[in-house]
Amino acid sequence: MKSVSFRTYRPGDEALIVELWNQCAVCDPVTPLRFRNLVLLDANFDPAGVRLAFDGERLVGCVYAVRRLLPMTGNDLEPDNGWIPFFFVDSAYERQGIGSALLREAEAFLREAGRKQLFFSAYAPNYIVPGIDAAAYPKGDAFLRRNGFSTRYTAVAMDRSLVGYVMPEEVRELKRQRIAEGYRFRTASDANLADLLRFAGERFNPDWARAIRAARRFAAACAISVAAWRTGRFLS
């Protein structure tokens, strides 16, 4: 690792980061537009949190550390928490201590900001992946565990192709039962939004409400906004 140098993000590094990202995280590729939206335009983005490793002009490693500068709801800045939404090292430079050095720099950045807990990926609103995919990235999973990370819960990416999807018969039967009991199922309308957003924010977390707002605002697919009603009251 003698020839490798470390520094923080500088304007113009984006193309190098995206290129190496797509070489390393082949199951979770990113476009320049998505990188801009999720990282550069994030209200909590701090260039000092992006730590880069170079061999000459070649980018060989990257880690992104972030802490909350703007509350997601109310005035809660989660002052104890810091996150690492992504990290990667060029496969040709693995096992040289580069990832560990980048992680130490990320930890120091967050520690200087007063953060006491560090989480991988569980950052909202702009999380990259729901968690480490041990099957797709066994080396990344092993790296995190060697450095003291442990599993808190199992997460699933919340999207699914509906091409070829068939509703299971037991679900059809349950729906028929609920309709007989007075429930109605439909896509949420503008008249339902206040109740829907309150329900999502209180029963799940504020990021669910934020995601629904964004989907409705940009007319994205709104399957998440299917509502169930009974006697005029929003249920789920």
Short mmCIF file of all heavy atoms in Angstrom, two decimals, residues 125-189:
data_model
loop_
_atom_site.label_atom_id
_atom_site.label_comp_id
_atom_site.label_asym_id
_atom_site.label_seq_id
_atom_site.Cartn_x
_atom_site.Cartn_y
_atom_site.Cartn_z
N PRO A 125 -32.93 9.56 4.03
CA PRO A 125 -33.79 9.00 2.98
C PRO A 125 -33.06 8.37 1.81
O PRO A 125 -33.69 7.71 1.00
CB PRO A 125 -34.56 10.23 2.50
CG PRO A 125 -33.58 11.36 2.66
CD PRO A 125 -32.79 11.03 3.91
N ASN A 126 -31.77 8.57 1.67
CA ASN A 126 -31.10 8.16 0.44
C ASN A 126 -30.24 6.92 0.62
O ASN A 126 -29.07 6.90 0.27
CB ASN A 126 -30.24 9.32 -0.09
CG ASN A 126 -31.08 10.47 -0.60
OD1 ASN A 126 -32.29 10.33 -0.75
ND2 ASN A 126 -30.46 11.60 -0.85
N TYR A 127 -30.83 5.86 1.18
CA TYR A 127 -30.03 4.65 1.33
C TYR A 127 -29.78 4.04 -0.05
O TYR A 127 -30.61 4.14 -0.95
CB TYR A 127 -30.69 3.66 2.30
CG TYR A 127 -31.84 2.86 1.76
CD1 TYR A 127 -31.62 1.67 1.08
CD2 TYR A 127 -33.14 3.27 1.96
CE1 TYR A 127 -32.67 0.91 0.61
CE2 TYR A 127 -34.20 2.53 1.49
CZ TYR A 127 -33.96 1.35 0.81
OH TYR A 127 -35.00 0.60 0.34
N ILE A 128 -28.64 3.40 -0.16
CA ILE A 128 -28.24 2.82 -1.45
C ILE A 128 -28.74 1.39 -1.57
O ILE A 128 -29.30 0.98 -2.57
CB ILE A 128 -26.70 2.85 -1.60
CG1 ILE A 128 -26.16 4.27 -1.35
CG2 ILE A 128 -26.30 2.34 -2.97
CD1 ILE A 128 -26.67 5.32 -2.30
N VAL A 129 -28.50 0.61 -0.52
CA VAL A 129 -28.97 -0.77 -0.44
C VAL A 129 -29.59 -0.96 0.93
O VAL A 129 -29.27 -0.24 1.88
CB VAL A 129 -27.81 -1.77 -0.66
CG1 VAL A 129 -27.31 -1.72 -2.09
CG2 VAL A 129 -26.68 -1.53 0.32
N PRO A 130 -30.49 -1.94 1.09
CA PRO A 130 -31.13 -2.13 2.39
C PRO A 130 -30.21 -2.76 3.43
O PRO A 130 -30.50 -2.76 4.62
CB PRO A 130 -32.32 -3.04 2.08
CG PRO A 130 -31.89 -3.79 0.87
CD PRO A 130 -31.07 -2.82 0.06
N GLY A 131 -29.09 -3.30 2.99
CA GLY A 131 -28.13 -3.94 3.87
C GLY A 131 -27.09 -4.66 3.03
O GLY A 131 -27.17 -4.65 1.80
N ILE A 132 -26.11 -5.26 3.69
CA ILE A 132 -25.10 -5.99 2.92
C ILE A 132 -25.68 -7.31 2.44
O ILE A 132 -26.28 -8.07 3.21
CB ILE A 132 -23.82 -6.24 3.77
CG1 ILE A 132 -22.70 -6.82 2.93
CG2 ILE A 132 -24.13 -7.09 4.99
CD1 ILE A 132 -22.10 -5.85 1.96
N ASP A 133 -25.55 -7.57 1.16
CA ASP A 133 -26.01 -8.83 0.57
C ASP A 133 -24.85 -9.81 0.66
O ASP A 133 -23.93 -9.78 -0.17
CB ASP A 133 -26.43 -8.59 -0.88
CG ASP A 133 -27.04 -9.82 -1.53
OD1 ASP A 133 -26.75 -10.94 -1.07
OD2 ASP A 133 -27.80 -9.66 -2.50
N ALA A 134 -24.90 -10.69 1.67
CA ALA A 134 -23.79 -11.59 1.91
C ALA A 134 -23.57 -12.57 0.76
O ALA A 134 -22.45 -13.02 0.52
CB ALA A 134 -24.01 -12.36 3.22
N ALA A 135 -24.65 -12.91 0.05
CA ALA A 135 -24.51 -13.84 -1.07
C ALA A 135 -23.83 -13.16 -2.26
O ALA A 135 -22.99 -13.77 -2.93
CB ALA A 135 -25.88 -14.37 -1.48
N ALA A 136 -24.18 -11.90 -2.51
CA ALA A 136 -23.60 -11.19 -3.65
C ALA A 136 -22.21 -10.64 -3.33
O ALA A 136 -21.35 -10.57 -4.21
CB ALA A 136 -24.52 -10.04 -4.06
N TYR A 137 -22.01 -10.26 -2.07
CA TYR A 137 -20.75 -9.63 -1.68
C TYR A 137 -20.18 -10.30 -0.42
O TYR A 137 -20.12 -9.69 0.65
CB TYR A 137 -20.95 -8.14 -1.42
CG TYR A 137 -21.63 -7.40 -2.55
CD1 TYR A 137 -22.93 -6.91 -2.40
CD2 TYR A 137 -20.98 -7.21 -3.77
CE1 TYR A 137 -23.55 -6.23 -3.45
CE2 TYR A 137 -21.60 -6.54 -4.81
CZ TYR A 137 -22.89 -6.05 -4.65
OH TYR A 137 -23.50 -5.38 -5.67
N PRO A 138 -19.78 -11.56 -0.51
CA PRO A 138 -19.27 -12.26 0.68
C PRO A 138 -18.03 -11.60 1.28
O PRO A 138 -17.85 -11.59 2.50
CB PRO A 138 -18.97 -13.67 0.16
CG PRO A 138 -18.81 -13.52 -1.33
CD PRO A 138 -19.75 -12.42 -1.71
N LYS A 139 -17.17 -11.02 0.44
CA LYS A 139 -15.97 -10.35 0.96
C LYS A 139 -16.35 -9.09 1.73
O LYS A 139 -15.76 -8.79 2.77
CB LYS A 139 -15.02 -10.00 -0.19
CG LYS A 139 -14.42 -11.20 -0.90
CD LYS A 139 -13.51 -10.75 -2.03
CE LYS A 139 -12.93 -11.94 -2.78
NZ LYS A 139 -12.08 -11.48 -3.93
N GLY A 140 -17.35 -8.36 1.23
CA GLY A 140 -17.80 -7.16 1.93
C GLY A 140 -18.43 -7.50 3.26
O GLY A 140 -18.20 -6.82 4.27
N ASP A 141 -19.20 -8.58 3.29
CA ASP A 141 -19.83 -9.03 4.53
C ASP A 141 -18.76 -9.43 5.54
O ASP A 141 -18.82 -9.05 6.72
CB ASP A 141 -20.76 -10.19 4.23
CG ASP A 141 -21.43 -10.73 5.47
OD1 ASP A 141 -22.22 -10.00 6.10
OD2 ASP A 141 -21.17 -11.89 5.83
N ALA A 142 -17.76 -10.18 5.10
CA ALA A 142 -16.68 -10.62 5.99
C ALA A 142 -15.89 -9.42 6.50
O ALA A 142 -15.48 -9.37 7.67
CB ALA A 142 -15.77 -11.60 5.26
N PHE A 143 -15.67 -8.44 5.63
CA PHE A 143 -14.94 -7.23 6.03
C PHE A 143 -15.66 -6.50 7.15
O PHE A 143 -15.05 -6.10 8.15
CB PHE A 143 -14.78 -6.32 4.81
CG PHE A 143 -14.20 -4.97 5.14
CD1 PHE A 143 -12.84 -4.81 5.33
CD2 PHE A 143 -15.03 -3.85 5.24
CE1 PHE A 143 -12.31 -3.56 5.64
CE2 PHE A 143 -14.51 -2.61 5.54
CZ PHE A 143 -13.15 -2.46 5.75
N LEU A 144 -16.97 -6.32 7.00
CA LEU A 144 -17.73 -5.63 8.04
C LEU A 144 -17.67 -6.40 9.36
O LEU A 144 -17.49 -5.80 10.43
CB LEU A 144 -19.18 -5.45 7.59
CG LEU A 144 -19.42 -4.44 6.46
CD1 LEU A 144 -20.89 -4.47 6.03
CD2 LEU A 144 -19.04 -3.03 6.90
N ARG A 145 -17.81 -7.70 9.30
CA ARG A 145 -17.80 -8.50 10.54
C ARG A 145 -16.43 -8.46 11.20
O ARG A 145 -16.33 -8.41 12.43
CB ARG A 145 -18.24 -9.93 10.24
CG ARG A 145 -19.70 -10.01 9.78
CD ARG A 145 -20.18 -11.43 9.61
NE ARG A 145 -21.53 -11.45 9.08
CZ ARG A 145 -22.63 -11.23 9.81
NH1 ARG A 145 -22.52 -10.99 11.12
NH2 ARG A 145 -23.84 -11.26 9.27
N ARG A 146 -15.37 -8.49 10.40
CA ARG A 146 -14.02 -8.40 10.98
C ARG A 146 -13.81 -7.07 11.70
O ARG A 146 -13.01 -6.98 12.64
CB ARG A 146 -12.95 -8.54 9.89
CG ARG A 146 -12.72 -9.94 9.39
CD ARG A 146 -11.38 -10.05 8.67
NE ARG A 146 -11.22 -9.05 7.62
CZ ARG A 146 -11.61 -9.23 6.36
NH1 ARG A 146 -12.20 -10.36 6.00
NH2 ARG A 146 -11.41 -8.28 5.46
N ASN A 147 -14.53 -6.06 11.25
CA ASN A 147 -14.36 -4.73 11.83
C ASN A 147 -15.44 -4.39 12.86
O ASN A 147 -15.67 -3.22 13.15
CB ASN A 147 -14.34 -3.68 10.72
CG ASN A 147 -13.01 -3.66 9.99
OD1 ASN A 147 -12.05 -3.05 10.45
ND2 ASN A 147 -12.94 -4.36 8.86
N GLY A 148 -16.08 -5.41 13.40
CA GLY A 148 -16.95 -5.22 14.54
C GLY A 148 -18.41 -4.99 14.25
O GLY A 148 -19.21 -4.80 15.18
N PHE A 149 -18.82 -5.04 12.99
CA PHE A 149 -20.23 -4.88 12.65
C PHE A 149 -20.95 -6.20 12.90
O PHE A 149 -20.38 -7.29 12.73
CB PHE A 149 -20.40 -4.48 11.19
CG PHE A 149 -20.00 -3.06 10.90
CD1 PHE A 149 -18.66 -2.73 10.72
CD2 PHE A 149 -20.96 -2.06 10.80
CE1 PHE A 149 -18.28 -1.42 10.45
CE2 PHE A 149 -20.59 -0.75 10.53
CZ PHE A 149 -19.24 -0.42 10.36
N SER A 150 -22.20 -6.12 13.29
CA SER A 150 -23.01 -7.31 13.50
C SER A 150 -24.40 -7.06 12.91
O SER A 150 -24.81 -5.91 12.71
CB SER A 150 -23.13 -7.65 14.99
OG SER A 150 -23.72 -6.57 15.71
N THR A 151 -25.12 -8.14 12.65
CA THR A 151 -26.45 -8.04 12.04
C THR A 151 -27.47 -7.60 13.08
O THR A 151 -27.59 -8.21 14.14
CB THR A 151 -26.88 -9.39 11.46
OG1 THR A 151 -25.91 -9.81 10.49
CG2 THR A 151 -28.25 -9.29 10.80
N ARG A 152 -28.19 -6.53 12.79
CA ARG A 152 -29.26 -6.05 13.67
C ARG A 152 -30.61 -6.60 13.23
O ARG A 152 -31.47 -6.89 14.03
CB ARG A 152 -29.31 -4.51 13.67
CG ARG A 152 -28.13 -3.87 14.38
CD ARG A 152 -28.16 -2.36 14.23
NE ARG A 152 -29.39 -1.79 14.78
CZ ARG A 152 -29.50 -1.34 16.03
NH1 ARG A 152 -28.49 -1.44 16.86
NH2 ARG A 152 -30.64 -0.81 16.44
N TYR A 153 -30.83 -6.69 11.93
CA TYR A 153 -32.06 -7.25 11.38
C TYR A 153 -31.81 -7.57 9.92
O TYR A 153 -30.81 -7.13 9.34
CB TYR A 153 -33.24 -6.27 11.52
CG TYR A 153 -32.97 -4.90 10.93
CD1 TYR A 153 -33.15 -4.65 9.56
CD2 TYR A 153 -32.55 -3.85 11.74
CE1 TYR A 153 -32.90 -3.40 9.03
CE2 TYR A 153 -32.30 -2.59 11.21
CZ TYR A 153 -32.48 -2.38 9.86
OH TYR A 153 -32.22 -1.14 9.32
N THR A 154 -32.69 -8.33 9.32
CA THR A 154 -32.58 -8.67 7.91
C THR A 154 -33.52 -7.78 7.11
O THR A 154 -34.70 -7.67 7.43
CB THR A 154 -32.95 -10.15 7.68
OG1 THR A 154 -32.04 -10.97 8.43
CG2 THR A 154 -32.83 -10.51 6.21
N ALA A 155 -32.99 -7.15 6.09
CA ALA A 155 -33.77 -6.21 5.27
C ALA A 155 -33.95 -6.76 3.86
O ALA A 155 -33.17 -7.59 3.39
CB ALA A 155 -33.08 -4.85 5.21
N VAL A 156 -35.00 -6.28 3.20
CA VAL A 156 -35.30 -6.68 1.82
C VAL A 156 -35.52 -5.42 1.01
O VAL A 156 -36.23 -4.51 1.45
CB VAL A 156 -36.55 -7.57 1.76
CG1 VAL A 156 -36.87 -7.94 0.32
CG2 VAL A 156 -36.35 -8.83 2.59
N ALA A 157 -34.92 -5.36 -0.17
CA ALA A 157 -35.15 -4.21 -1.05
C ALA A 157 -36.62 -4.17 -1.43
O ALA A 157 -37.21 -5.19 -1.81
CB ALA A 157 -34.29 -4.33 -2.32
N MET A 158 -37.23 -2.99 -1.32
CA MET A 158 -38.68 -2.90 -1.47
C MET A 158 -39.09 -2.59 -2.91
O MET A 158 -39.69 -1.57 -3.20
CB MET A 158 -39.24 -1.87 -0.50
CG MET A 158 -39.07 -2.30 0.95
SD MET A 158 -39.93 -1.23 2.08
CE MET A 158 -41.63 -1.52 1.58
N ASP A 159 -38.71 -3.47 -3.80
CA ASP A 159 -39.27 -3.39 -5.14
C ASP A 159 -39.41 -4.82 -5.68
O ASP A 159 -38.72 -5.74 -5.23
CB ASP A 159 -38.45 -2.51 -6.08
CG ASP A 159 -37.08 -3.09 -6.39
OD1 ASP A 159 -36.74 -4.17 -5.86
OD2 ASP A 159 -36.34 -2.47 -7.15
N ARG A 160 -40.34 -4.97 -6.59
CA ARG A 160 -40.55 -6.29 -7.17
C ARG A 160 -41.22 -6.12 -8.53
O ARG A 160 -42.16 -5.34 -8.66
CB ARG A 160 -41.45 -7.15 -6.28
CG ARG A 160 -41.82 -8.48 -6.92
CD ARG A 160 -42.62 -9.36 -6.01
NE ARG A 160 -42.99 -10.60 -6.69
CZ ARG A 160 -43.58 -11.62 -6.12
NH1 ARG A 160 -43.88 -11.57 -4.83
NH2 ARG A 160 -43.89 -12.71 -6.80
N SER A 161 -40.72 -6.83 -9.52
CA SER A 161 -41.36 -6.81 -10.82
C SER A 161 -42.71 -7.50 -10.74
O SER A 161 -42.83 -8.59 -10.17
CB SER A 161 -40.48 -7.49 -11.86
OG SER A 161 -41.18 -7.61 -13.08
N LEU A 162 -43.73 -6.89 -11.30
CA LEU A 162 -45.06 -7.48 -11.29
C LEU A 162 -45.36 -8.24 -12.59
O LEU A 162 -46.46 -8.76 -12.76
CB LEU A 162 -46.12 -6.39 -11.09
CG LEU A 162 -46.05 -5.66 -9.74
CD1 LEU A 162 -47.15 -4.62 -9.64
CD2 LEU A 162 -46.15 -6.65 -8.59
N VAL A 163 -44.36 -8.30 -13.47
CA VAL A 163 -44.54 -9.06 -14.70
C VAL A 163 -44.69 -10.54 -14.34
O VAL A 163 -43.84 -11.14 -13.69
CB VAL A 163 -43.34 -8.88 -15.65
CG1 VAL A 163 -43.49 -9.77 -16.88
CG2 VAL A 163 -43.21 -7.42 -16.06
N GLY A 164 -45.81 -11.12 -14.74
CA GLY A 164 -46.06 -12.52 -14.47
C GLY A 164 -46.56 -12.83 -13.07
O GLY A 164 -46.78 -14.00 -12.73
N TYR A 165 -46.78 -11.77 -12.25
CA TYR A 165 -47.23 -12.01 -10.88
C TYR A 165 -48.69 -12.48 -10.87
O TYR A 165 -49.54 -11.94 -11.57
CB TYR A 165 -47.12 -10.74 -10.04
CG TYR A 165 -47.72 -10.88 -8.66
CD1 TYR A 165 -47.05 -11.57 -7.65
CD2 TYR A 165 -48.98 -10.34 -8.38
CE1 TYR A 165 -47.61 -11.71 -6.39
CE2 TYR A 165 -49.55 -10.48 -7.12
CZ TYR A 165 -48.86 -11.16 -6.13
OH TYR A 165 -49.42 -11.29 -4.89
N VAL A 166 -48.97 -13.50 -10.09
CA VAL A 166 -50.34 -14.00 -9.90
C VAL A 166 -50.64 -13.98 -8.41
O VAL A 166 -49.87 -14.54 -7.60
CB VAL A 166 -50.49 -15.43 -10.46
CG1 VAL A 166 -51.91 -15.94 -10.18
CG2 VAL A 166 -50.19 -15.45 -11.95
N MET A 167 -51.73 -13.36 -8.03
CA MET A 167 -52.09 -13.30 -6.62
C MET A 167 -52.41 -14.70 -6.10
O MET A 167 -53.24 -15.40 -6.68
CB MET A 167 -53.31 -12.39 -6.42
CG MET A 167 -53.69 -12.21 -4.95
SD MET A 167 -55.18 -11.18 -4.73
CE MET A 167 -54.59 -9.59 -5.31
N PRO A 168 -51.77 -15.13 -5.00
CA PRO A 168 -52.05 -16.47 -4.45
C PRO A 168 -53.52 -16.60 -4.06
O PRO A 168 -54.15 -15.63 -3.65
CB PRO A 168 -51.14 -16.54 -3.22
CG PRO A 168 -50.06 -15.54 -3.50
CD PRO A 168 -50.71 -14.44 -4.27
N GLU A 169 -54.05 -17.78 -4.18
CA GLU A 169 -55.46 -18.00 -3.89
C GLU A 169 -55.79 -17.67 -2.44
O GLU A 169 -56.87 -17.15 -2.15
CB GLU A 169 -55.84 -19.45 -4.19
CG GLU A 169 -57.32 -19.76 -3.94
CD GLU A 169 -58.26 -18.83 -4.69
OE1 GLU A 169 -57.93 -18.44 -5.84
OE2 GLU A 169 -59.32 -18.48 -4.13
N GLU A 170 -54.88 -17.95 -1.51
CA GLU A 170 -55.17 -17.63 -0.11
C GLU A 170 -55.30 -16.13 0.11
O GLU A 170 -56.07 -15.68 0.96
CB GLU A 170 -54.11 -18.22 0.82
CG GLU A 170 -52.69 -17.76 0.58
CD GLU A 170 -51.92 -18.66 -0.35
OE1 GLU A 170 -52.56 -19.34 -1.19
OE2 GLU A 170 -50.68 -18.70 -0.24
N VAL A 171 -54.56 -15.35 -0.68
CA VAL A 171 -54.67 -13.90 -0.58
C VAL A 171 -56.00 -13.44 -1.18
O VAL A 171 -56.68 -12.56 -0.64
CB VAL A 171 -53.49 -13.20 -1.28
CG1 VAL A 171 -53.67 -11.69 -1.25
CG2 VAL A 171 -52.18 -13.60 -0.62
N ARG A 172 -56.41 -14.06 -2.28
CA ARG A 172 -57.70 -13.74 -2.88
C ARG A 172 -58.83 -14.02 -1.89
O ARG A 172 -59.77 -13.24 -1.75
CB ARG A 172 -57.91 -14.54 -4.16
CG ARG A 172 -56.98 -14.19 -5.31
CD ARG A 172 -57.25 -15.08 -6.51
NE ARG A 172 -56.35 -14.82 -7.60
CZ ARG A 172 -56.53 -13.89 -8.52
NH1 ARG A 172 -57.62 -13.14 -8.48
NH2 ARG A 172 -55.65 -13.72 -9.49
N GLU A 173 -58.72 -15.15 -1.22
CA GLU A 173 -59.76 -15.52 -0.27
C GLU A 173 -59.80 -14.55 0.91
O GLU A 173 -60.88 -14.14 1.36
CB GLU A 173 -59.52 -16.95 0.24
CG GLU A 173 -60.51 -17.42 1.30
CD GLU A 173 -61.95 -17.38 0.82
OE1 GLU A 173 -62.19 -17.53 -0.40
OE2 GLU A 173 -62.85 -17.20 1.67
N LEU A 174 -58.62 -14.16 1.40
CA LEU A 174 -58.58 -13.19 2.50
C LEU A 174 -59.18 -11.86 2.07
O LEU A 174 -59.92 -11.23 2.84
CB LEU A 174 -57.13 -12.99 2.95
CG LEU A 174 -56.92 -11.99 4.09
CD1 LEU A 174 -57.68 -12.42 5.34
CD2 LEU A 174 -55.44 -11.82 4.38
N LYS A 175 -58.89 -11.45 0.83
CA LYS A 175 -59.46 -10.19 0.33
C LYS A 175 -60.98 -10.28 0.26
O LYS A 175 -61.69 -9.35 0.65
CB LYS A 175 -58.88 -9.86 -1.05
CG LYS A 175 -59.38 -8.54 -1.61
CD LYS A 175 -58.73 -8.22 -2.95
CE LYS A 175 -59.24 -6.90 -3.51
NZ LYS A 175 -58.63 -6.59 -4.83
N ARG A 176 -61.50 -11.44 -0.22
CA ARG A 176 -62.95 -11.62 -0.28
C ARG A 176 -63.57 -11.53 1.12
O ARG A 176 -64.63 -10.92 1.31
CB ARG A 176 -63.28 -12.96 -0.94
CG ARG A 176 -63.07 -12.99 -2.44
CD ARG A 176 -63.68 -14.23 -3.06
NE ARG A 176 -62.90 -15.41 -2.72
CZ ARG A 176 -61.94 -15.92 -3.51
NH1 ARG A 176 -61.64 -15.32 -4.66
NH2 ARG A 176 -61.30 -17.02 -3.15
N GLN A 177 -62.89 -12.13 2.10
CA GLN A 177 -63.39 -12.08 3.47
C GLN A 177 -63.44 -10.64 3.98
O GLN A 177 -64.43 -10.23 4.60
CB GLN A 177 -62.50 -12.92 4.38
CG GLN A 177 -62.55 -14.41 4.13
CD GLN A 177 -61.58 -15.15 5.02
OE1 GLN A 177 -61.16 -14.66 6.06
NE2 GLN A 177 -61.23 -16.37 4.61
N ARG A 178 -62.37 -9.91 3.74
CA ARG A 178 -62.32 -8.53 4.23
C ARG A 178 -63.36 -7.65 3.54
O ARG A 178 -63.97 -6.78 4.17
CB ARG A 178 -60.91 -7.96 4.02
CG ARG A 178 -59.84 -8.63 4.86
CD ARG A 178 -60.07 -8.38 6.34
NE ARG A 178 -59.06 -9.02 7.16
CZ ARG A 178 -59.25 -10.14 7.83
NH1 ARG A 178 -60.43 -10.76 7.78
NH2 ARG A 178 -58.28 -10.68 8.54
N ILE A 179 -63.59 -7.87 2.25
CA ILE A 179 -64.61 -7.10 1.54
C ILE A 179 -65.98 -7.40 2.13
O ILE A 179 -66.80 -6.49 2.34
CB ILE A 179 -64.57 -7.40 0.03
CG1 ILE A 179 -63.29 -6.83 -0.58
CG2 ILE A 179 -65.80 -6.83 -0.67
CD1 ILE A 179 -63.08 -7.19 -2.03
N ALA A 180 -66.22 -8.68 2.46
CA ALA A 180 -67.50 -9.05 3.08
C ALA A 180 -67.66 -8.40 4.45
O ALA A 180 -68.79 -8.15 4.90
CB ALA A 180 -67.58 -10.58 3.21
N GLU A 181 -66.54 -8.11 5.12
CA GLU A 181 -66.59 -7.47 6.43
C GLU A 181 -66.73 -5.95 6.33
O GLU A 181 -66.86 -5.28 7.35
CB GLU A 181 -65.31 -7.80 7.20
CG GLU A 181 -65.18 -9.28 7.57
CD GLU A 181 -63.79 -9.62 8.07
OE1 GLU A 181 -62.93 -8.70 8.11
OE2 GLU A 181 -63.55 -10.80 8.40
N GLY A 182 -66.70 -5.43 5.09
CA GLY A 182 -66.89 -3.99 4.92
C GLY A 182 -65.66 -3.21 4.51
O GLY A 182 -65.71 -1.99 4.38
N TYR A 183 -64.55 -3.92 4.29
CA TYR A 183 -63.34 -3.24 3.84
C TYR A 183 -63.43 -2.93 2.35
O TYR A 183 -64.09 -3.65 1.59
CB TYR A 183 -62.11 -4.10 4.09
CG TYR A 183 -61.74 -4.29 5.54
CD1 TYR A 183 -62.30 -5.33 6.28
CD2 TYR A 183 -60.85 -3.44 6.17
CE1 TYR A 183 -61.96 -5.52 7.61
CE2 TYR A 183 -60.51 -3.62 7.50
CZ TYR A 183 -61.06 -4.65 8.22
OH TYR A 183 -60.74 -4.83 9.53
N ARG A 184 -62.73 -1.86 1.94
CA ARG A 184 -62.59 -1.53 0.53
C ARG A 184 -61.11 -1.32 0.23
O ARG A 184 -60.41 -0.71 1.01
CB ARG A 184 -63.36 -0.25 0.19
CG ARG A 184 -64.88 -0.41 0.22
CD ARG A 184 -65.55 0.91 -0.13
NE ARG A 184 -65.30 1.92 0.90
CZ ARG A 184 -65.26 3.23 0.67
NH1 ARG A 184 -65.40 3.68 -0.55
NH2 ARG A 184 -65.06 4.08 1.66
N PHE A 185 -60.65 -1.83 -0.90
CA PHE A 185 -59.25 -1.70 -1.30
C PHE A 185 -59.19 -0.89 -2.58
O PHE A 185 -59.88 -1.20 -3.55
CB PHE A 185 -58.64 -3.09 -1.53
CG PHE A 185 -58.61 -3.94 -0.29
CD1 PHE A 185 -59.70 -4.74 0.03
CD2 PHE A 185 -57.51 -3.92 0.55
CE1 PHE A 185 -59.68 -5.53 1.17
CE2 PHE A 185 -57.49 -4.71 1.69
CZ PHE A 185 -58.57 -5.51 2.00
N ARG A 186 -58.35 0.13 -2.57
CA ARG A 186 -58.23 0.97 -3.76
C ARG A 186 -56.96 1.79 -3.68
O ARG A 186 -56.36 1.92 -2.60
CB ARG A 186 -59.44 1.90 -3.89
CG ARG A 186 -59.51 2.96 -2.78
CD ARG A 186 -60.80 3.71 -2.81
NE ARG A 186 -60.79 4.82 -1.86
CZ ARG A 186 -61.88 5.39 -1.37
NH1 ARG A 186 -63.07 4.95 -1.75
NH2 ARG A 186 -61.80 6.40 -0.52
N THR A 187 -56.55 2.34 -4.80
CA THR A 187 -55.42 3.25 -4.81
C THR A 187 -55.80 4.54 -4.10
O THR A 187 -56.89 5.07 -4.33
CB THR A 187 -54.98 3.56 -6.25
OG1 THR A 187 -54.64 2.34 -6.90
CG2 THR A 187 -53.79 4.50 -6.28
N ALA A 188 -54.94 5.01 -3.23
CA ALA A 188 -55.25 6.21 -2.45
C ALA A 188 -55.45 7.41 -3.37
O ALA A 188 -54.69 7.64 -4.30
CB ALA A 188 -54.13 6.49 -1.46
N SER A 189 -56.50 8.17 -3.10
CA SER A 189 -56.78 9.40 -3.84
C SER A 189 -56.27 10.59 -3.03
O SER A 189 -55.80 10.44 -1.90
CB SER A 189 -58.28 9.53 -4.08
OG SER A 189 -58.95 9.75 -2.84
#
